[in-house]
Short mmCIF file of all heavy atoms in Angstrom, two decimals:
data_model
loop_
_atom_site.label_atom_id
_atom_site.label_comp_id
_atom_site.label_asym_id
_atom_site.label_seq_id
_atom_site.Cartn_x
_atom_site.Cartn_y
_atom_site.Cartn_z
N ASN H 1302 102.80 116.61 137.79
CA ASN H 1302 102.84 117.96 137.23
C ASN H 1302 103.65 118.90 138.10
O ASN H 1302 104.43 119.71 137.60
CB ASN H 1302 101.42 118.51 137.08
CG ASN H 1302 100.72 117.85 135.89
OD1 ASN H 1302 101.35 117.08 135.17
ND2 ASN H 1302 99.44 118.15 135.74
N LEU H 1305 107.25 118.17 137.59
CA LEU H 1305 107.71 118.73 136.32
C LEU H 1305 107.95 120.23 136.44
O LEU H 1305 108.93 120.74 135.93
CB LEU H 1305 106.67 118.46 135.23
CG LEU H 1305 106.93 117.23 134.37
CD1 LEU H 1305 105.82 117.07 133.35
CD2 LEU H 1305 108.29 117.26 133.70
N GLU H 1306 107.03 120.88 137.16
CA GLU H 1306 107.19 122.32 137.33
C GLU H 1306 108.47 122.64 138.08
O GLU H 1306 109.23 123.53 137.69
CB GLU H 1306 105.97 122.92 138.07
CG GLU H 1306 105.90 124.43 137.89
CD GLU H 1306 104.78 125.07 138.71
OE1 GLU H 1306 103.92 124.31 139.24
OE2 GLU H 1306 104.77 126.30 138.82
N GLU H 1309 111.41 122.10 135.79
CA GLU H 1309 111.55 123.21 134.84
C GLU H 1309 112.13 124.45 135.50
O GLU H 1309 113.03 125.10 134.96
CB GLU H 1309 110.21 123.54 134.20
CG GLU H 1309 109.93 122.61 133.03
CD GLU H 1309 108.62 122.90 132.34
OE1 GLU H 1309 107.88 123.81 132.78
OE2 GLU H 1309 108.33 122.20 131.35
N GLU H 1340 115.97 113.28 131.62
CA GLU H 1340 115.07 112.98 130.51
C GLU H 1340 114.36 114.25 130.03
O GLU H 1340 114.31 114.53 128.81
CB GLU H 1340 114.05 111.95 130.97
CG GLU H 1340 113.20 111.39 129.84
CD GLU H 1340 111.98 110.68 130.41
OE1 GLU H 1340 112.17 109.67 131.10
OE2 GLU H 1340 110.85 111.16 130.18
N HIS H 1341 113.90 115.04 130.97
CA HIS H 1341 113.18 116.26 130.62
C HIS H 1341 114.10 117.24 129.89
O HIS H 1341 113.72 117.84 128.88
CB HIS H 1341 112.62 116.92 131.88
CG HIS H 1341 111.74 118.08 131.57
ND1 HIS H 1341 110.42 117.93 131.15
CD2 HIS H 1341 111.96 119.43 131.59
CE1 HIS H 1341 109.88 119.12 130.93
NE2 HIS H 1341 110.81 120.05 131.19
N PHE H 1344 114.67 116.03 126.33
CA PHE H 1344 113.51 116.14 125.46
C PHE H 1344 113.22 117.60 125.08
O PHE H 1344 112.97 117.91 123.93
CB PHE H 1344 112.28 115.49 126.10
CG PHE H 1344 111.16 115.32 125.12
CD1 PHE H 1344 111.24 114.34 124.12
CD2 PHE H 1344 110.03 116.11 125.18
CE1 PHE H 1344 110.21 114.19 123.22
CE2 PHE H 1344 109.01 115.96 124.26
CZ PHE H 1344 109.10 114.99 123.27
N THR H 1345 113.31 118.48 126.09
CA THR H 1345 113.07 119.90 125.78
C THR H 1345 114.15 120.43 124.85
O THR H 1345 113.89 121.28 124.00
CB THR H 1345 113.00 120.76 127.05
OG1 THR H 1345 114.14 120.48 127.85
CG2 THR H 1345 111.74 120.50 127.84
N LEU H 1347 115.51 118.64 122.47
CA LEU H 1347 115.08 118.19 121.13
C LEU H 1347 114.06 119.14 120.55
O LEU H 1347 114.13 119.51 119.37
CB LEU H 1347 114.50 116.77 121.21
CG LEU H 1347 115.49 115.63 121.33
CD1 LEU H 1347 114.75 114.28 121.40
CD2 LEU H 1347 116.47 115.61 120.17
N ILE H 1348 113.11 119.57 121.41
CA ILE H 1348 112.09 120.51 120.92
C ILE H 1348 112.75 121.81 120.48
O ILE H 1348 112.45 122.35 119.43
CB ILE H 1348 111.03 120.78 122.01
CG1 ILE H 1348 110.30 119.48 122.38
CG2 ILE H 1348 110.02 121.81 121.53
CD1 ILE H 1348 109.36 119.62 123.57
N LYS H 1349 113.70 122.25 121.32
CA LYS H 1349 114.40 123.50 120.99
C LYS H 1349 115.17 123.39 119.68
O LYS H 1349 115.12 124.26 118.82
CB LYS H 1349 115.38 123.86 122.12
CG LYS H 1349 114.75 124.65 123.24
CD LYS H 1349 115.82 125.42 124.01
CE LYS H 1349 115.19 126.28 125.10
NZ LYS H 1349 114.59 125.46 126.22
N TYR H 1351 114.60 121.42 117.27
CA TYR H 1351 113.63 121.37 116.17
C TYR H 1351 113.23 122.78 115.79
O TYR H 1351 113.24 123.13 114.61
CB TYR H 1351 112.42 120.55 116.61
CG TYR H 1351 111.24 120.64 115.65
CD1 TYR H 1351 111.22 119.86 114.49
CD2 TYR H 1351 110.17 121.48 115.90
CE1 TYR H 1351 110.16 119.95 113.61
CE2 TYR H 1351 109.10 121.57 115.03
CZ TYR H 1351 109.10 120.81 113.88
OH TYR H 1351 108.06 120.88 113.00
N GLY H 1352 112.94 123.56 116.79
CA GLY H 1352 112.54 124.94 116.55
C GLY H 1352 113.65 125.74 115.87
O GLY H 1352 113.41 126.47 114.91
N ARG H 1354 116.12 124.64 114.09
CA ARG H 1354 116.35 124.20 112.72
C ARG H 1354 115.28 124.74 111.79
O ARG H 1354 115.58 125.18 110.68
CB ARG H 1354 116.35 122.67 112.70
CG ARG H 1354 116.31 122.13 111.30
CD ARG H 1354 117.39 121.13 111.03
NE ARG H 1354 117.31 120.71 109.65
CZ ARG H 1354 117.68 119.52 109.25
NH1 ARG H 1354 118.17 118.63 110.12
NH2 ARG H 1354 117.60 119.19 107.98
N LEU H 1357 116.11 128.21 111.15
CA LEU H 1357 117.27 128.33 110.26
C LEU H 1357 116.85 128.10 108.81
O LEU H 1357 117.24 128.81 107.89
CB LEU H 1357 118.35 127.34 110.69
CG LEU H 1357 119.65 127.38 109.89
CD1 LEU H 1357 120.33 128.73 110.01
CD2 LEU H 1357 120.60 126.28 110.35
N GLU H 1358 116.03 127.08 108.63
CA GLU H 1358 115.56 126.78 107.28
C GLU H 1358 114.79 127.96 106.69
O GLU H 1358 114.94 128.28 105.51
CB GLU H 1358 114.70 125.51 107.28
CG GLU H 1358 115.55 124.24 107.32
CD GLU H 1358 114.73 122.97 107.26
OE1 GLU H 1358 113.49 123.06 107.13
OE2 GLU H 1358 115.34 121.88 107.33
N ARG H 1360 115.20 131.04 107.48
CA ARG H 1360 116.16 132.10 107.14
C ARG H 1360 116.87 131.78 105.82
O ARG H 1360 117.03 132.64 104.96
CB ARG H 1360 117.20 132.23 108.26
CG ARG H 1360 116.69 133.02 109.47
CD ARG H 1360 117.51 132.71 110.71
NE ARG H 1360 118.89 133.21 110.63
CZ ARG H 1360 119.86 132.84 111.46
NH1 ARG H 1360 119.61 131.95 112.41
NH2 ARG H 1360 121.05 133.35 111.35
N LEU H 1361 117.28 130.50 105.68
CA LEU H 1361 117.98 130.11 104.46
C LEU H 1361 117.08 130.25 103.24
O LEU H 1361 117.51 130.72 102.18
CB LEU H 1361 118.50 128.67 104.58
CG LEU H 1361 119.60 128.42 105.61
CD1 LEU H 1361 119.96 126.95 105.66
CD2 LEU H 1361 120.84 129.26 105.32
N ASP H 1362 115.83 129.85 103.43
CA ASP H 1362 114.88 129.99 102.32
C ASP H 1362 114.75 131.44 101.90
O ASP H 1362 114.71 131.75 100.70
CB ASP H 1362 113.51 129.45 102.72
CG ASP H 1362 113.43 127.95 102.50
OD1 ASP H 1362 114.33 127.41 101.81
OD2 ASP H 1362 112.48 127.31 103.02
N ILE H 1364 116.96 133.78 102.25
CA ILE H 1364 118.17 134.18 101.52
C ILE H 1364 118.13 133.61 100.11
O ILE H 1364 118.41 134.29 99.12
CB ILE H 1364 119.45 133.67 102.25
CG1 ILE H 1364 119.56 134.33 103.63
CG2 ILE H 1364 120.68 133.95 101.41
CD1 ILE H 1364 120.60 133.66 104.53
N HIS H 1365 117.71 132.38 100.02
CA HIS H 1365 117.70 131.69 98.73
C HIS H 1365 116.79 132.41 97.74
O HIS H 1365 117.13 132.53 96.56
CB HIS H 1365 117.23 130.24 98.92
CG HIS H 1365 117.37 129.41 97.68
ND1 HIS H 1365 118.53 128.74 97.37
CD2 HIS H 1365 116.51 129.17 96.66
CE1 HIS H 1365 118.38 128.12 96.21
NE2 HIS H 1365 117.15 128.36 95.76
N GLU H 1367 116.32 135.37 97.37
CA GLU H 1367 116.91 136.58 96.79
C GLU H 1367 117.87 136.28 95.64
O GLU H 1367 118.27 137.17 94.91
CB GLU H 1367 117.65 137.36 97.89
CG GLU H 1367 116.70 138.04 98.85
CD GLU H 1367 117.45 138.74 99.97
OE1 GLU H 1367 118.59 139.20 99.73
OE2 GLU H 1367 116.91 138.81 101.09
N ILE H 1368 118.25 135.00 95.52
CA ILE H 1368 119.20 134.64 94.46
C ILE H 1368 118.44 134.40 93.16
O ILE H 1368 117.39 133.76 93.15
CB ILE H 1368 119.99 133.36 94.86
CG1 ILE H 1368 120.81 133.63 96.13
CG2 ILE H 1368 120.89 132.90 93.73
CD1 ILE H 1368 121.47 132.39 96.69
N VAL H 1370 118.10 132.30 90.67
CA VAL H 1370 118.54 130.92 90.43
C VAL H 1370 118.59 130.60 88.94
O VAL H 1370 119.51 129.93 88.47
CB VAL H 1370 117.60 129.93 91.16
CG1 VAL H 1370 117.99 128.51 90.86
CG2 VAL H 1370 117.67 130.18 92.66
N LEU H 1373 121.62 131.97 87.18
CA LEU H 1373 122.77 131.22 87.67
C LEU H 1373 122.84 129.84 87.01
O LEU H 1373 123.90 129.39 86.59
CB LEU H 1373 122.63 131.07 89.19
CG LEU H 1373 123.91 130.83 89.98
CD1 LEU H 1373 124.86 132.00 89.80
CD2 LEU H 1373 123.57 130.65 91.46
N GLU H 1374 121.69 129.22 86.87
CA GLU H 1374 121.63 127.87 86.29
C GLU H 1374 122.12 127.90 84.85
O GLU H 1374 122.90 127.05 84.42
CB GLU H 1374 120.18 127.36 86.35
CG GLU H 1374 120.08 125.88 85.99
CD GLU H 1374 118.67 125.35 86.12
OE1 GLU H 1374 117.78 126.13 86.49
OE2 GLU H 1374 118.48 124.17 85.83
N LEU H 1377 125.89 128.25 84.79
CA LEU H 1377 126.70 127.16 85.33
C LEU H 1377 126.57 125.85 84.58
O LEU H 1377 127.43 124.99 84.65
CB LEU H 1377 126.34 126.91 86.80
CG LEU H 1377 126.67 128.06 87.74
CD1 LEU H 1377 126.12 127.79 89.13
CD2 LEU H 1377 128.18 128.26 87.81
N LYS H 1378 125.46 125.75 83.87
CA LYS H 1378 125.21 124.49 83.18
C LYS H 1378 126.23 124.32 82.06
O LYS H 1378 126.44 125.24 81.27
CB LYS H 1378 123.79 124.51 82.60
CG LYS H 1378 123.36 123.21 81.99
CD LYS H 1378 122.57 122.39 82.98
CE LYS H 1378 122.21 121.05 82.37
NZ LYS H 1378 121.79 120.11 83.40
N ILE H 1379 126.83 123.15 81.99
CA ILE H 1379 127.71 122.85 80.86
C ILE H 1379 126.79 122.52 79.70
O ILE H 1379 126.05 121.54 79.74
CB ILE H 1379 128.62 121.65 81.17
CG1 ILE H 1379 129.53 121.98 82.35
CG2 ILE H 1379 129.42 121.24 79.96
CD1 ILE H 1379 130.26 120.79 82.91
N GLU F 979 122.97 137.46 110.99
CA GLU F 979 122.17 137.29 109.78
C GLU F 979 122.99 137.65 108.54
O GLU F 979 122.92 136.98 107.51
CB GLU F 979 120.92 138.18 109.88
CG GLU F 979 119.83 137.83 108.90
CD GLU F 979 119.28 136.42 109.10
OE1 GLU F 979 119.23 135.94 110.25
OE2 GLU F 979 118.92 135.78 108.10
N LEU F 982 125.55 134.92 107.60
CA LEU F 982 124.86 133.75 107.07
C LEU F 982 124.46 133.98 105.61
O LEU F 982 124.65 133.12 104.74
CB LEU F 982 123.61 133.45 107.91
CG LEU F 982 122.88 132.17 107.54
CD1 LEU F 982 123.73 130.95 107.83
CD2 LEU F 982 121.54 132.07 108.24
N LYS F 983 123.96 135.18 105.36
CA LYS F 983 123.52 135.51 104.02
C LYS F 983 124.70 135.53 103.04
O LYS F 983 124.63 134.96 101.96
CB LYS F 983 122.81 136.87 104.03
CG LYS F 983 122.18 137.21 102.70
CD LYS F 983 121.36 138.48 102.82
CE LYS F 983 120.87 138.92 101.46
NZ LYS F 983 120.04 140.10 101.57
N TYR F 986 125.94 132.07 102.39
CA TYR F 986 125.01 131.35 101.53
C TYR F 986 125.21 131.74 100.07
O TYR F 986 125.36 130.91 99.18
CB TYR F 986 123.57 131.63 101.96
CG TYR F 986 122.55 130.69 101.33
CD1 TYR F 986 122.05 129.60 102.04
CD2 TYR F 986 122.08 130.91 100.05
CE1 TYR F 986 121.12 128.75 101.48
CE2 TYR F 986 121.15 130.06 99.47
CZ TYR F 986 120.67 128.98 100.19
OH TYR F 986 119.76 128.14 99.64
N PHE F 990 126.80 129.11 97.04
CA PHE F 990 125.70 128.41 96.36
C PHE F 990 126.03 128.09 94.90
O PHE F 990 125.79 126.96 94.46
CB PHE F 990 124.40 129.22 96.46
CG PHE F 990 123.25 128.54 95.78
CD1 PHE F 990 122.75 127.34 96.26
CD2 PHE F 990 122.68 129.08 94.62
CE1 PHE F 990 121.70 126.70 95.62
CE2 PHE F 990 121.63 128.44 93.98
CZ PHE F 990 121.15 127.24 94.48
N PRO F 991 126.61 129.04 94.13
CA PRO F 991 126.89 128.72 92.73
C PRO F 991 127.77 127.49 92.56
O PRO F 991 127.55 126.67 91.65
CB PRO F 991 127.60 129.98 92.22
CG PRO F 991 127.10 131.06 93.09
CD PRO F 991 126.94 130.43 94.45
N MET F 994 125.63 124.47 93.14
CA MET F 994 124.65 124.35 92.07
C MET F 994 125.30 123.79 90.80
O MET F 994 124.74 122.93 90.13
CB MET F 994 124.06 125.72 91.77
CG MET F 994 122.98 125.63 90.72
SD MET F 994 121.89 127.02 90.87
CE MET F 994 120.75 126.69 89.57
N ILE F 998 123.65 120.53 89.07
CA ILE F 998 122.92 120.56 87.79
C ILE F 998 123.71 119.91 86.67
O ILE F 998 123.13 119.55 85.65
CB ILE F 998 122.48 121.98 87.38
CG1 ILE F 998 123.69 122.90 87.21
CG2 ILE F 998 121.48 122.55 88.39
CD1 ILE F 998 123.29 124.27 86.72
N ASN F 999 125.01 119.74 86.87
CA ASN F 999 125.77 119.04 85.84
C ASN F 999 125.96 117.57 86.16
O ASN F 999 126.67 116.86 85.45
CB ASN F 999 127.12 119.72 85.63
CG ASN F 999 126.97 121.06 84.96
OD1 ASN F 999 126.31 121.16 83.92
ND2 ASN F 999 127.52 122.10 85.56
N ALA F 1004 117.67 122.63 89.78
CA ALA F 1004 117.88 123.75 90.70
C ALA F 1004 117.30 123.45 92.08
O ALA F 1004 117.88 123.83 93.11
CB ALA F 1004 117.23 125.00 90.12
N LYS F 1008 119.20 123.37 95.74
CA LYS F 1008 118.75 124.11 96.94
C LYS F 1008 118.71 123.18 98.15
O LYS F 1008 119.25 123.49 99.21
CB LYS F 1008 117.38 124.71 96.67
CG LYS F 1008 116.82 125.49 97.84
CD LYS F 1008 115.40 125.91 97.58
CE LYS F 1008 114.72 126.30 98.88
NZ LYS F 1008 113.30 126.58 98.69
N GLN F 1012 121.33 123.60 101.27
CA GLN F 1012 120.82 123.98 102.60
C GLN F 1012 121.15 122.91 103.63
O GLN F 1012 121.51 123.22 104.77
CB GLN F 1012 119.31 124.21 102.53
CG GLN F 1012 119.00 125.49 101.76
CD GLN F 1012 117.58 125.96 101.91
OE1 GLN F 1012 116.75 125.28 102.53
NE2 GLN F 1012 117.27 127.12 101.34
N TYR F 1019 126.47 124.60 110.20
CA TYR F 1019 125.90 125.44 111.25
C TYR F 1019 125.85 124.69 112.58
O TYR F 1019 126.32 125.17 113.61
CB TYR F 1019 124.50 125.86 110.81
CG TYR F 1019 123.84 126.90 111.67
CD1 TYR F 1019 123.97 128.26 111.37
CD2 TYR F 1019 123.05 126.53 112.77
CE1 TYR F 1019 123.34 129.22 112.15
CE2 TYR F 1019 122.42 127.48 113.55
CZ TYR F 1019 122.58 128.82 113.23
OH TYR F 1019 121.96 129.78 113.99
N PHE F 1062 134.13 119.64 90.14
CA PHE F 1062 134.57 120.98 89.79
C PHE F 1062 135.54 121.54 90.82
O PHE F 1062 136.14 122.58 90.61
CB PHE F 1062 133.36 121.91 89.65
CG PHE F 1062 132.42 121.46 88.57
CD1 PHE F 1062 131.41 120.55 88.84
CD2 PHE F 1062 132.56 121.92 87.27
CE1 PHE F 1062 130.55 120.13 87.84
CE2 PHE F 1062 131.71 121.51 86.27
CZ PHE F 1062 130.71 120.60 86.56
N ASP F 1079 118.72 114.45 111.39
CA ASP F 1079 117.59 114.56 110.46
C ASP F 1079 116.43 113.70 110.91
O ASP F 1079 115.27 114.13 110.88
CB ASP F 1079 118.03 114.11 109.06
CG ASP F 1079 118.41 115.29 108.20
OD1 ASP F 1079 118.37 116.43 108.71
OD2 ASP F 1079 118.75 115.06 107.02
N GLN F 1081 115.67 112.64 113.94
CA GLN F 1081 115.01 113.21 115.12
C GLN F 1081 114.20 114.45 114.77
O GLN F 1081 113.10 114.64 115.28
CB GLN F 1081 116.06 113.55 116.18
CG GLN F 1081 116.60 112.29 116.81
CD GLN F 1081 117.46 112.59 118.02
OE1 GLN F 1081 118.06 113.67 118.11
NE2 GLN F 1081 117.54 111.65 118.95
N PHE F 1082 114.76 115.24 113.85
CA PHE F 1082 114.06 116.45 113.43
C PHE F 1082 112.72 116.08 112.78
O PHE F 1082 111.67 116.64 113.11
CB PHE F 1082 114.93 117.22 112.44
CG PHE F 1082 114.24 118.38 111.78
CD1 PHE F 1082 114.04 119.57 112.47
CD2 PHE F 1082 113.79 118.29 110.47
CE1 PHE F 1082 113.41 120.64 111.87
CE2 PHE F 1082 113.16 119.35 109.86
CZ PHE F 1082 112.96 120.54 110.57
N MET F 1085 110.23 114.76 115.34
CA MET F 1085 109.65 115.82 116.16
C MET F 1085 108.58 116.57 115.38
O MET F 1085 107.51 116.87 115.91
CB MET F 1085 110.76 116.79 116.62
CG MET F 1085 110.30 117.82 117.63
SD MET F 1085 109.61 117.08 119.15
CE MET F 1085 111.11 116.62 120.01
N GLY F 1086 108.87 116.83 114.11
CA GLY F 1086 107.89 117.51 113.27
C GLY F 1086 106.61 116.70 113.16
O GLY F 1086 105.50 117.24 113.32
N LEU F 1089 104.67 116.67 116.52
CA LEU F 1089 103.97 117.94 116.76
C LEU F 1089 102.72 118.05 115.91
O LEU F 1089 101.68 118.52 116.36
CB LEU F 1089 104.90 119.12 116.50
CG LEU F 1089 105.85 119.46 117.65
CD1 LEU F 1089 106.93 120.42 117.18
CD2 LEU F 1089 105.07 120.05 118.84
N TYR F 1104 108.31 126.21 124.72
CA TYR F 1104 109.64 125.60 124.65
C TYR F 1104 110.52 126.15 123.53
O TYR F 1104 111.73 126.13 123.64
CB TYR F 1104 109.53 124.08 124.55
CG TYR F 1104 109.00 123.46 125.81
CD1 TYR F 1104 107.69 123.01 125.90
CD2 TYR F 1104 109.84 123.34 126.93
CE1 TYR F 1104 107.22 122.45 127.06
CE2 TYR F 1104 109.36 122.78 128.10
CZ TYR F 1104 108.05 122.34 128.18
OH TYR F 1104 107.57 121.81 129.32
N ILE F 1105 109.89 126.62 122.43
CA ILE F 1105 110.71 127.11 121.33
C ILE F 1105 110.85 128.63 121.37
O ILE F 1105 111.95 129.17 121.31
CB ILE F 1105 110.14 126.64 119.97
CG1 ILE F 1105 110.19 125.11 119.88
CG2 ILE F 1105 110.94 127.25 118.81
CD1 ILE F 1105 109.47 124.52 118.70
N LYS F 1126 98.91 125.68 132.97
CA LYS F 1126 100.04 124.81 133.31
C LYS F 1126 99.68 123.35 133.20
O LYS F 1126 100.41 122.55 132.60
CB LYS F 1126 100.49 125.11 134.75
CG LYS F 1126 101.63 126.09 134.81
CD LYS F 1126 102.09 126.23 136.26
CE LYS F 1126 102.81 127.55 136.46
NZ LYS F 1126 102.98 127.85 137.89
N LYS F 1129 99.49 122.41 129.68
CA LYS F 1129 100.82 122.34 129.06
C LYS F 1129 101.49 120.99 129.38
O LYS F 1129 102.04 120.34 128.50
CB LYS F 1129 101.69 123.48 129.59
CG LYS F 1129 103.05 123.57 128.91
CD LYS F 1129 104.01 124.46 129.67
CE LYS F 1129 104.63 123.71 130.84
NZ LYS F 1129 105.52 124.55 131.64
N TYR F 1130 101.41 120.55 130.66
CA TYR F 1130 102.05 119.28 131.02
C TYR F 1130 101.38 118.11 130.36
O TYR F 1130 102.05 117.16 129.92
CB TYR F 1130 102.09 119.12 132.55
CG TYR F 1130 103.07 120.10 133.18
CD1 TYR F 1130 102.70 120.96 134.21
CD2 TYR F 1130 104.40 120.13 132.71
CE1 TYR F 1130 103.61 121.85 134.77
CE2 TYR F 1130 105.29 121.04 133.26
CZ TYR F 1130 104.90 121.89 134.28
OH TYR F 1130 105.79 122.76 134.81
N LEU F 1133 102.69 118.01 126.93
CA LEU F 1133 104.07 117.53 126.88
C LEU F 1133 104.13 116.02 126.99
O LEU F 1133 104.89 115.35 126.25
CB LEU F 1133 104.88 118.19 127.99
CG LEU F 1133 106.38 117.92 127.95
CD1 LEU F 1133 107.01 118.57 126.71
CD2 LEU F 1133 107.07 118.43 129.22
N GLN F 1134 103.31 115.46 127.90
CA GLN F 1134 103.28 114.00 128.05
C GLN F 1134 102.86 113.32 126.75
O GLN F 1134 103.45 112.33 126.33
CB GLN F 1134 102.32 113.60 129.19
CG GLN F 1134 102.73 114.05 130.57
CD GLN F 1134 104.10 113.49 130.99
OE1 GLN F 1134 104.62 112.56 130.37
NE2 GLN F 1134 104.66 114.05 132.06
N LYS F 1137 105.66 113.46 124.17
CA LYS F 1137 106.68 112.44 124.45
C LYS F 1137 106.25 111.09 123.93
O LYS F 1137 107.02 110.37 123.28
CB LYS F 1137 106.94 112.34 125.97
CG LYS F 1137 107.94 113.34 126.47
CD LYS F 1137 108.24 113.06 127.93
CE LYS F 1137 109.03 114.21 128.55
NZ LYS F 1137 109.11 114.06 130.03
N PHE F 1140 106.34 111.00 120.20
CA PHE F 1140 107.71 111.03 119.71
C PHE F 1140 108.38 109.66 119.82
O PHE F 1140 109.00 109.17 118.89
CB PHE F 1140 108.52 112.09 120.47
CG PHE F 1140 109.95 112.21 120.02
CD1 PHE F 1140 110.26 113.01 118.92
CD2 PHE F 1140 110.97 111.53 120.68
CE1 PHE F 1140 111.58 113.13 118.50
CE2 PHE F 1140 112.27 111.64 120.25
CZ PHE F 1140 112.59 112.45 119.17
#
Side-chain angles (χ1 to χ4, degrees):
Chain H
N1302 286 354
L1305 264 179
E1306 197 185 348
E1309 276 181 358
E1340 189 195 295
H1341 187 79
F1344 193 73
T1345 50
L1347 282 180
I1348 299 173
K1349 274 202 177 69
Y1351 170 81
R1354 168 128 182 210
L1357 182 62
E1358 281 183 2
R1360 281 159 68 194
L1361 293 177
D1362 275 347
I1364 297 167
H1365 188 87
E1367 287 177 31
I1368 298 173
V1370 176
L1373 204 61
E1374 190 177 0
L1377 295 173
K1378 186 96 183 164
I1379 297 169
Chain F
E979 196 62 34
L982 186 66
K983 187 173 173 178
Y986 193 100
F990 180 66
M994 183 157 180
I998 61 177
N999 289 309
K1008 180 187 163 186
Q1012 289 193 355
Y1019 189 92
F1062 299 87
D1079 263 2
Q1081 288 190 333
F1082 171 77
M1085 188 58 79
L1089 279 167
Y1104 291 104
I1105 297 171
K1126 265 185 202 167
K1129 185 194 80 182
Y1130 290 127
L1133 188 66
Q1134 295 300 346
K1137 275 186 191 170
F1140 181 84

